[in-house]
Amino acid sequence: MHTDTEDGRRLVERLRAVVGRRYMLTSPSSTQRYRTGIRFGGGPVLAVVRPGSLVDQWRVLNACIEANVIVIVQAANTGLTGGSTPDGDDYDREIVIVSTLRLAKVHLIDQGRQAICLPGATLFQLEKMLRPLGREPHCLIGSSCIGASVFGGVCNNSGGSLIHRGPVFTQLTLYAEVDADNRVRLVNHLGLTLAGDPEDILASVERGGFALEQITRPEGRFASDQGYEAHVRDVDAPTPARFNADPHRLFESAGSAGKVMIFAVRLDTFARDERTAVFYIGSNDTHELENVRRQMLGTFKSLPVSGEYIHRGAYRIAETYGKDTFLAIRHLGTDRLPAMFALKGQFDALAARVPFLPHDLSDRVMQAVASLFPPHLPARMTAYRDRFEHHLIVKMAGDGIEEARAWLGTAFPSGTGDFFECTPEEGEKAMLHRFAVAGGANRYRAVHRQEVAGMMALDIALRRNDREWYETLPAEIDQAFVHKIYYGHFFCHVLHQEYIVRKGHDPVELEHAMWKLLDARGAEYPAEHDVGHLYNAKPALAAHYKALDPCNCFNPGVGRTSKLKHWH
């Protein structure tokens, strides 16, 4: 089915009647930024549809299923593994992308202790709404993505940097499933008593203003991960603390990777820490940092708020190539970033239409502008960059501040490491610099695209008892990389490892070789960024997909599974 066939034209006209001409995109140029992943993946689509209400989204879904087309539901498209875009052109049906960014609405309930989020809601938006109430969402700025959606975290079992909150998880959702006979059914497990047919229910959820008697807490269902603090403290356990395909965290929409169409999720929120302090640790001994981790998780009364690792190589990449991200967040604030990056995407789409313009023109311009600004990192951090290979940023709250200050004062300085307690400004800049690493890796690849073969991105979950956490590669693999960029959530033993590949080497072959090394170490991967179209879904995850989507009409091929109808 194509737009130039009778069936294709009929479906396009039906969808256009639902959402309006402005929000129905069919030309390759207008759909490019929706059907192309920010790092990986892409392929042709019949159309991109941008519904403006939950009822419209429901009608779009029904029209697509009746027309026997594939549906890929997409929010911010910030995923690193291509999981919210097509993957090539070898599908057995046409594809329609349903972009939900217009449905960015959040309802706070129970005095802000919980939030009901609609499909386009972002972490930035939720954080802003909760701030006046002294509360926070599960994740804050995130580790790798600007403008990430709330739904993306739920669908991918994302983790985040906040140690005591665990992976994003909820058992309270409102979603549509399609059975093996192609019948669409709305499932209300949101914990809201709502009357009427599916369109009545969806309209009620979008309006909000729920009466107290409508809100229930279903027995045995939770809106956040339970018991993660004790789990992560078990530093002698021979298994990872958290990873994408953990069977204990696969439940309906949680870990679904878009194999159902979600309309609303209900999540717990958390009290904001009012008194915090940041400690900056440098070391040239990986075992010394591991000892810090084991002491703080295993013996401290107060669990750290976060503990973020940066290798010296990642520090330098972010210092140069993540500078504009750092400056934009610091001086413009997070509220303006989604609009700024949407504008960047539109500029890139327009520039792609002009053959003589260089690829990634916006990245080149932004990099040039950032280079004009003076050094932006604190002098003490810069000195540690030169002295130490490994950096750890530990944030403590409440009584944990004095506990960390006292213990670190006895452990450092050592023969291989040292620490300092950050001023508030230093602490803010240290955390922001850590966040800029992922953007810096993207920028380096963009600016040097003609000079490198590509980029690999692994996020791995190491065993909690693994003392040899720092990677040592065989020489034949190591020499294939221009840069190795290591950073991550150190206390959870979740590391993001990104590699800039030299010309003459195949990134796919290298990644498969790396998988064998990770398997030998007992690591799980991916840890929190979803399998997408890069990784093989392990048996439990593949079974979860098939149970949710027996007709294989939602996002087929994810986890390198079958792209064919009914999984044939």
Side-chain angles (χ1 to χ4, degrees):
M1 183 195 300
H2 297 278
T3 54
D4 57 356
T5 66
E6 184 61 33
D7 287 343
R9 285 193 294 269
R10 188 180 298 114
L11 177 59
V12 166
E13 286 305 315
R14 183 175 176 185
L15 296 176
R16 185 176 287 129
V18 174
V19 301
R21 183 173 299 274
R22 178 181 176 186
Y23 300 108
M24 181 70 191
L25 312 176
T26 56
S27 70
S29 59
S30 65
T31 61
Q32 180 181 359
R33 68 189 182 100
Y34 298 94
R35 56 185 174 85
T36 305
I38 62 169
R39 282 196 187 171
F40 175 84
V45 298
L46 178 72
V48 173
V49 192
R50 302 182 59 214
S53 71
L54 295 183
V55 171
D56 285 352
Q57 186 176 338
W58 169 260
R59 291 172 179 172
V60 165
L61 172 61
N62 280 272
C64 288
I65 298 303
E66 288 177 23
N68 191 35
V69 300
I70 289 166
V71 175
I72 297 178
V73 185
Q74 182 187 97
N77 192 18
T78 57
L80 305 184
T81 57
S84 59
T85 62
D87 177 42
D89 57 2
D90 57 340
Y91 294 84
D92 61 345
R93 293 150 289 166
E94 292 287 346
I95 298 172
V96 170
I97 292 177
V98 180
S99 172
T100 63
L101 289 181
R102 295 178 65 204
L103 303 172
K105 188 176 285 189
V106 175
H107 305 301
L108 300 182
I109 60 175
D110 192 16
Q111 298 179 321
R113 294 183 181 89
Q114 288 190 323
I116 294 175
C117 301
L118 271 55
T122 67
L123 287 172
F124 285 138
Q125 177 186 1
L126 182 55
E127 181 184 356
K128 183 179 179 180
M129 290 181 67
L130 291 171
R131 195 177 299 143
L133 303 179
R135 301 192 70 80
E136 295 175 336
H138 172 275
C139 298
L140 299 178
I141 200 168
S143 66
S144 304
C145 303
I146 291 177
S149 69
V150 173
F151 277 29
V154 172
C155 289
N156 300 333
N157 277 343
S158 296
S161 62
L162 302 178
I163 297 168
H164 54 293
R165 298 182 190 176
V168 182
F169 182 76
T170 185
Q171 297 171 314
L172 302 175
T173 55
L174 175 67
Y175 64 94
E177 62 181 9
V178 180
D179 66 19
D181 296 319
N182 268 35
R183 292 174 297 196
V184 182
R185 187 171 74 98
L186 187 67
V187 179
N188 179 14
H189 289 163
L190 199 57
L192 288 179
T193 303
L194 301 166
D197 62 20
E199 293 195 0
D200 294 329
I201 291 171
L202 292 167
S204 296
V205 170
E206 187 164 359
R207 281 196 304 270
F210 311 111
L212 189 61
E213 59 270 18
Q214 288 182 277
I215 303 171
T216 63
R217 288 182 176 267
E219 186 176 354
R221 288 183 179 249
F222 301 96
S224 62
D225 197 319
Q226 304 296 300
Y228 186 75
E229 290 191 29
H231 183 72
V232 75
R233 280 185 181 273
D234 188 359
V235 293
D236 292 315
T239 57
R242 57 180 173 87
F243 56 98
N244 179 267
D246 186 347
H248 297 99
R249 297 183 177 95
L250 300 177
F251 188 90
E252 295 179 351
S253 65
S256 65
K259 299 300 286 183
V260 292
M261 178 176 276
I262 311 172
F263 293 96
V265 298
R266 180 171 163 184
L267 295 166
D268 289 332
T269 69
F270 302 86
R272 186 175 64 234
D273 296 311
E274 296 299 334
R275 189 168 66 94
T276 63
V278 174
F279 300 89
Y280 200 99
I281 304 167
S283 180
N284 290 314
D285 182 357
T286 60
H287 296 100
E288 185 169 50
L289 286 195
E290 179 62 19
N291 183 54
V292 172
R293 171 182 171 270
R294 296 179 71 85
Q295 287 292 326
M296 289 189 169
L297 290 181
T299 68
F300 275 31
K301 292 181 179 179
S302 301
L303 198 66
V305 175
S306 63
E308 295 296 293
Y309 169 75
I310 311 178
H311 183 262
R312 177 189 281 154
Y315 186 110
R316 286 174 169 161
I317 287 287
E319 187 176 21
T320 302
Y321 295 95
K323 187 175 181 178
D324 63 307
T325 297
F326 179 102
L327 294 174
I329 295 175
R330 179 145 178 87
H331 297 295
L332 299 179
T334 56
D335 295 343
R336 299 182 184 179
L337 285 182
M340 186 178 76
F341 278 84
L343 185 62
K344 177 184 181 296
Q346 294 170 8
F347 177 84
D348 286 338
L350 290 172
R353 301 180 188 180
V354 184
F356 61 83
L357 290 179
H359 199 67
D360 301 309
L361 178 59
S362 66
D363 285 285
R364 295 171 184 271
V365 171
M366 293 167 74
Q367 184 62 29
V369 171
S371 68
L372 301 176
F373 286 82
H376 59 293
L377 296 176
R380 288 202 287 182
M381 283 176 58
T382 303
Y384 268 44
R385 176 204 64 192
D386 296 333
R387 291 176 59 194
F388 302 115
E389 182 179 2
H390 307 284
H391 299 238
L392 183 60
I393 308 165
V394 178
K395 185 176 184 179
M396 302 296 298
D399 294 340
I401 298 172
E402 287 73 27
E403 192 174 14
R405 186 182 291 141
W407 184 81
L408 289 170
T410 64
F412 297 101
S414 67
T416 54
D418 205 348
F419 90 101
F420 64 87
E421 184 172 343
C422 297
T423 66
E425 182 179 9
E426 286 174 329
E428 179 185 353
K429 287 187 174 182
M431 291 294 186
L432 194 47
H433 184 59
R434 155 64 185 87
F435 172 74
V437 174
N442 279 342
R443 174 62 52 73
Y444 183 94
R445 191 267 306 265
V447 172
H448 298 275
R449 192 180 293 272
Q450 302 303 318
E451 305 162 29
V452 300
M455 180 176 172
M456 288 168 40
L458 298 175
D459 65 298
I460 66 172
L462 300 175
R463 296 167 298 174
R464 282 168 282 174
N465 67 349
D466 195 344
R467 294 176 184 268
E468 303 299 328
W469 57 271
Y470 186 69
E471 179 176 78
T472 302
L473 294 175
E476 64 272 16
I477 293 180
D478 193 61
Q479 58 84 31
F481 301 126
V482 179
H483 290 290
K484 295 176 295 184
I485 303 165
Y486 298 149
Y487 59 105
H489 314 304
F490 187 65
F491 284 82
C492 299
H493 259 191
V494 168
L495 296 177
H496 302 298
Q497 301 186 166
E498 300 174 350
Y499 310 84
I500 307 297
V501 181
R502 293 185 189 278
K503 283 282 191 182
H505 296 273
D506 184 343
V508 175
E509 289 183 6
L510 285 168
E511 183 157 6
H512 290 173
M514 297 283 284
W515 291 353
K516 294 178 182 178
L517 298 177
L518 294 174
D519 290 339
R521 296 175 66 187
E524 291 282 354
Y525 54 91
E528 58 185 9
H529 285 156
D530 190 34
V531 290
H533 292 290
L534 284 180
Y535 300 95
N536 296 309
K538 293 193 173 182
L541 188 59
H544 185 53
Y545 294 162
K546 290 180 180 181
L548 292 174
D549 183 19
C551 75
N552 205 19
C553 57
F554 288 112
N555 206 12
V558 67
R560 303 172 72 89
T561 58
S562 172
K563 294 181 178 179
L564 304 180
K565 190 167 184 178
H566 295 293
W567 302 88
H568 294 311

